[in-house]
Amino acid sequence: MGVAFLEKKKKTLAFIGSYADSNNPGVYTCQYDEENGSLEVTHQVNGLQNPTFLTVDAKNWKLYALSEGIDENQQRCGAASSYDIDSATGELTFLNNEITLPATTCHITLDHTNQVVMVSSYHGGMVGLSPVLADGRLGITADIQQHHGASILSVQDRPRAHSVFLDQTNRYAGVCDLGLDRIMMYKLDIPAKRLIPHNEVQVAPGSGPRHFTFHPSYAFGYVINELGSTVTAFSYEEERGELTEIQTISTLPESYDEENACADIHVSPDGKFLYGSNRGHDSIVVYAIDPSTGKLTVVEYAPTLGKHPRNFAISPDGQFLLVANKDSDLIVSFSRDSQSGKLVPTGSVLNVSKPVCIKFASVE
């Protein structure tokens, strides 16, 4: 009698970071339903002050979360915690916590080889790099780069490093500095655990670059500008690590004249569409990407069905887009039309306190 082997199906987990005090749950593990795009909370952890942003090492089953710490002078500072992920259940087990920067932080990311984490500080105008140790714990901060300067708006009276992103080669790390209206590029030297200043590109004064994403297939990149409610498209010279602006386009309909602040940005896995979040207009702007030029054309402005969509994520299979509406305490799921890029509410809503980050991970 023959033995039948069933192909193991991947299970997808989603991890949520939120604003929370250390006495309440702040990081959540969710089971993601690939059929309908819904989330179900299965585990939660507390003990962290405002774990607002996460990064996941799905290969080694580790999660890293921002938090706030207290330094030796009893001042607030940046910290990060490492967790082991149970690959069967998604349950998180605390490993360690390390001070990262002498100012509170707003973003954390791993390099593509999962050897270092990089954090950015909006209030301190700086970025830091910490090694990931062999057991997945975070090591002591190895490098700090302080930005200098200002731009034209009152909130831009100092540098405000908002996020770090990596190119596909893992050779260059970019930093969106909202206060300087610049994207600062660094060479990433992993053996030396250093960020080496490389070059910078200016966006229009008063734009306030916040988050950046590269196209998965072509040499284009896109930054969402928080203060200007625009997206700037770039061509990218991979060998030289150079960005060149090719277009800037509004995230809002012409008829809208109220307050707005952009937040997050992602390209669909198929590379056909770009999505960005508007806080104020409370929408996801959808653009079609021209594969030959990288330029953007507006498809629609999809209401997020909640307030203050600070962060969102596209499912690994590209079928769904989930929006974290912070001020409504809910995550709303949308199906994504692969042909038009348009978003349609699925009816699935997860209630969770002040969600501001969603990260997916697939397990065997």
Side-chain angles (χ1 to χ4, degrees):
M1 181 182 294
V3 179
F5 292 93
L6 297 176
E7 183 180 352
K8 293 181 70 175
K9 185 178 180 181
K10 282 189 175 182
K11 179 173 66 174
T12 302
L13 302 174
F15 300 95
I16 300 169
S18 67
Y19 277 105
D21 64 45
S22 59
N23 295 320
N24 292 310
V27 178
Y28 304 84
T29 300
C30 297
Q31 178 62 52
Y32 169 71
D33 190 321
E34 296 179 348
E35 297 299 319
N36 60 27
S38 66
L39 296 178
E40 178 186 359
V41 175
T42 56
H43 299 283
Q44 56 193 33
V45 296
N46 57 15
L48 298 180
Q49 184 73 22
N50 292 329
T52 53
F53 216 87
L54 314 173
T55 187
V56 178
D57 174 0
K59 179 181 179 182
N60 298 303
W61 295 112
K62 300 294 185 289
L63 178 142
Y64 302 92
L66 290 184
S67 62
E68 295 180 13
I70 301 295
D71 65 18
E72 57 188 13
N73 298 316
Q74 300 304 302
Q75 299 297 310
R76 292 169 62 207
C77 63
S81 294
S82 61
Y83 289 86
D84 186 70
I85 304 171
D86 186 308
S87 60
T89 67
E91 187 171 358
L92 301 174
T93 301
F94 177 77
L95 295 177
N96 79 324
N97 179 272
E98 281 285 344
I99 299 297
T100 54
L101 289 175
T104 56
T105 49
C106 58
H107 187 271
I108 184 170
T109 192
L110 280 157
D111 83 288
H112 296 321
T113 62
N114 304 310
Q115 296 183 74
V116 298
V117 298
M118 286 152 285
V119 298
S120 54
S121 172
Y122 175 88
H123 293 290
M126 64 183 78
V127 292
L129 181 150
S130 300
V132 174
L133 306 180
D135 61 0
R137 297 171 188 263
L138 289 171
I140 296 171
T141 300
D143 191 22
I144 296 175
Q145 294 290 328
Q146 175 69 59
H147 293 180
H148 301 277
S151 192
I152 64 170
L153 301 180
S154 59
V155 72
Q156 298 177 304
D157 61 342
R158 66 196 69 181
R160 296 193 181 279
H162 219 308
S163 63
V164 183
F165 61 92
L166 281 300
D167 77 350
Q168 293 183 7
T169 70
N170 212 47
R171 293 170 55 201
Y172 296 101
V175 179
C176 296
D177 196 307
L178 177 148
L180 304 183
D181 283 322
R182 296 176 196 166
I183 299 172
M184 317 290 284
M185 298 296 292
Y186 293 89
K187 288 184 179 179
L188 175 59
D189 188 335
I190 291 179
K193 305 295 187 291
R194 292 289 182 269
L195 290 167
I196 302 169
H198 179 60
N199 62 38
E200 59 189 63
V201 61
Q202 188 87 34
V203 296
S207 295
R210 179 183 172 103
H211 282 188
F212 188 101
T213 185
F214 277 111
H215 193 281
S217 305
Y218 302 115
F220 306 126
Y222 304 90
V223 68
I224 195 160
N225 299 305
E226 175 176 336
L227 306 178
S229 293
T230 57
V231 168
T232 301
F234 299 91
S235 61
Y236 183 60
E237 211 318 304
E238 192 174 82
E239 284 301 311
R240 295 195 299 269
E242 292 180 356
L243 293 166
T244 302
E245 181 178 342
I246 54 179
Q247 180 195 25
T248 294
I249 185 171
S250 176
T251 65
L252 298 168
E254 290 185 8
S255 59
Y256 185 81
D257 59 2
E258 299 177 46
E259 289 188 5
N260 188 70
C262 293
D264 202 14
I265 187 167
H266 297 284
V267 178
S268 58
D270 59 17
K272 294 180 180 179
F273 301 97
L274 180 73
Y275 299 82
S277 62
N278 286 305
R279 299 171 295 174
H281 191 249
D282 292 336
S283 65
I284 300 294
V285 58
V286 184
Y287 304 100
I289 301 173
D290 186 317
S292 60
T293 66
K295 289 187 175 182
L296 306 172
T297 304
V298 172
V299 172
E300 70 167 348
Y301 309 94
T304 62
L305 307 183
K307 296 180 179 179
H308 199 97
R310 175 160 167 162
N311 185 254
F312 65 95
I314 301 173
S315 61
D317 62 8
Q319 297 300 303
F320 296 94
L321 185 148
L322 280 66
V323 182
N325 290 292
K326 178 181 79 73
D327 290 353
S328 299
D329 298 323
L330 51 83
I331 294 175
V332 180
S333 177
F334 297 83
S335 63
R336 197 184 71 83
D337 187 294
S338 61
Q339 297 303 309
S340 69
K342 291 185 176 182
L343 302 176
V344 178
T346 65
S348 173
V349 175
L350 176 67
N351 293 102
V352 62
S353 179
K354 297 182 176 63
V356 288
C357 183
I358 306 170
K359 293 291 182 180
F360 282 104
S362 294
V363 299
E364 294 291 348

